[in-house]
Amino acid sequence: MSKAKVLVTGIIPEEGLTDLRAAFDVTYDPEKETREWILNNLADFDGLLLMGTKADRELIDAGKNLKIITTNGVGFDHVDIAYAKEKGIVVSNCPMGVRVPTAEMTFALLLATVRRLFFYDKVVREGNWMDVSEKKYMGMSLQGKTLGIYGMGRIGSEVGRFCQALGMNVIYNDVRQLDSDLEKKLDVKYVDFDTLVKTADVITLHAPALPSTVGIFNADVFSKMKNTAYLINAARGVLVKEADLVDALKNGEIAGAGLDVFENEPNVSADLRALDNVIMSPHAGTGTLEARIAIAQEASKNLISFINDGKALNHVNA
């Protein structure tokens, strides 16, 4: 009996594909797998491990024999999950492998932003110096400050734990409040969105890109934040209206921002790049070898479980 055929796209570490190769006939050649090649050949495959291309209607229609698409990460806004469901295709994601590395990146951006590391680094690299006794050059200490988490899932919970280690108080907002026992265990407090925005000294974003969340951080929200507050986004760029953020940073409505994701990435506005109260990274939240191996292994489990046993793990279009 011939093995099922699986196509892997994007750049995936081979160490993460060992189980997948043992289970199926795997095609993986990132140098030749352009979108055009994928569209012309996808009909031959039962499963797709997706990274680096969009699974829109055109691609889904090309996968005439596809049973499952698994994203190589937690996000699935690049997949038309409703159309995939209509075509009988399961879509899965990888929420566990991204949890700790993305939380680490959020925490790194948070520390770098509130302690103004980009600004300090730039000054020293340019051969200058400054007296940080002057208030205008100072950053912010975290002990005793309030962290506001928007989206209290796996990553948000991990970020909260990191920040509590530095003495921060944690409040959160989500579409659903956690049960009281879990709130006590995590030592966090639920507040409404308006209270989160007005109260937090640092806000970190961990929500998916949904119609209800796109552009939710905008001019109106920035005007309500403390002018000493910071915004950290390692979730989805479209949660933030980038032009409004630029204005808020220029006008001193908020103190700074740390960004791993952008509204129109990979294009980042020149106005944002010109600011020295912003630190940025190129959507690198899972950019460690350990993380990428773990994510590929999780994606492999999704494929193996569904194709071999009919059990859909991490199913996002049920």
Side-chain angles (χ1 to χ4, degrees):
M1 184 175 178
S2 61
K3 290 183 177 180
K5 298 182 71 174
V6 169
L7 176 64
V8 176
T9 68
I11 300 175
I12 311 287
E14 274 292 342
E15 298 94 323
L17 299 177
T18 303
D19 291 343
L20 194 68
R21 289 194 181 281
F24 304 129
D25 178 2
V26 174
T27 296
Y28 175 47
D29 187 351
E31 291 188 8
K32 78 174 182 183
E33 290 168 4
T34 62
R35 181 175 175 85
E36 182 181 9
W37 185 94
I38 293 169
L39 291 174
N40 289 335
N41 292 275
L42 192 57
D44 296 335
F45 295 93
D46 303 286
L48 174 63
L49 198 167
L50 182 72
M51 186 176 181
T53 194
K54 205 168 189 176
D56 51 16
R57 286 181 171 238
E58 181 185 37
L59 186 139
I60 290 168
D61 282 338
K64 299 184 187 306
N65 296 300
L66 273 183
K67 300 174 179 65
I68 177 172
I69 298 170
T70 182
T71 63
N72 194 63
V74 69
F76 50 86
D77 45 303
H78 57 307
V79 181
D80 190 331
I81 61 172
Y83 190 61
K85 182 178 180 180
E86 186 181 318
K87 292 290 187 177
I89 300 170
V90 165
V91 180
S92 292
N93 69 343
C94 299
M96 295 308 297
V98 306
R99 179 176 60 89
V100 172
T102 305
E104 288 175 345
M105 176 59 84
T106 302
F107 190 57
L109 286 171
L110 191 159
L111 283 172
T113 302
V114 303
R115 295 307 304 268
R116 305 190 68 183
L117 290 189
F118 169 72
F119 174 57
Y120 293 158
D121 182 83
K122 181 181 176 184
V123 168
V124 176
R125 285 181 188 276
E126 291 176 349
N128 299 314
W129 202 252
M130 63 176 59
D131 184 354
V132 294
S133 300
E134 293 188 48
K135 188 176 180 180
K136 64 181 179 180
Y137 296 140
M138 293 180 180
M140 182 180 78
S141 292
L142 293 174
Q143 188 173 29
K145 297 298 192 301
T146 296
L147 172 69
I149 295 175
Y150 178 65
M152 194 63 171
R154 296 177 180 90
I155 297 170
S157 299
E158 197 75 12
V159 170
R161 187 172 67 84
F162 290 166
C163 290
Q164 285 165 339
L166 294 184
M168 296 190 79
N169 305 306
V170 179
I171 59 177
Y172 77 95
N173 177 260
D174 205 319
V175 291
R176 288 183 294 274
Q177 183 175 354
L178 303 177
D179 68 61
S180 57
D181 288 343
L182 184 55
E183 284 187 336
K184 288 177 184 177
K185 181 180 178 181
L186 297 175
D187 193 17
V188 298
K189 179 183 177 183
Y190 176 84
V191 297
D192 60 48
F193 182 73
D194 210 42
T195 300
L196 181 96
V197 166
K198 293 177 178 178
T199 305
D201 297 294
V202 182
I203 297 176
T204 62
L205 311 187
H206 309 288
L210 301 170
S212 59
T213 62
V214 169
I216 192 167
F217 282 83
N218 51 37
D220 179 58
V221 168
F222 298 135
S223 70
K224 295 175 182 177
M225 288 173 64
K226 297 178 180 180
N227 60 15
T228 55
Y230 296 84
L231 181 77
I232 311 298
N233 188 10
R236 284 292 179 263
V238 294
L239 303 184
V240 178
K241 285 285 187 184
E242 206 162 277
D244 291 354
L245 175 62
V246 169
D247 288 342
L249 291 165
K250 283 183 176 179
N251 300 333
E253 286 185 297
I254 66 173
L259 306 172
D260 185 47
V261 290
F262 304 88
E263 187 175 15
N264 299 300
E265 62 182 64
N267 300 311
V268 180
S269 75
D271 288 339
L272 192 61
R273 288 186 280 115
L275 297 173
D276 61 19
N277 55 347
V278 181
I279 188 164
M280 297 174 280
S281 53
H283 204 145
T286 60
T288 71
L289 180 59
E290 296 88 347
R292 293 297 173 91
I293 291 172
I295 295 166
Q297 289 171 337
E298 188 173 5
S300 296
K301 287 179 182 177
N302 291 343
L303 290 159
I304 293 167
S305 176
F306 186 71
I307 294 173
N308 282 353
D309 302 322
K311 296 178 182 178
L313 307 177
N314 304 312
H315 195 174
V316 298
N317 70 335

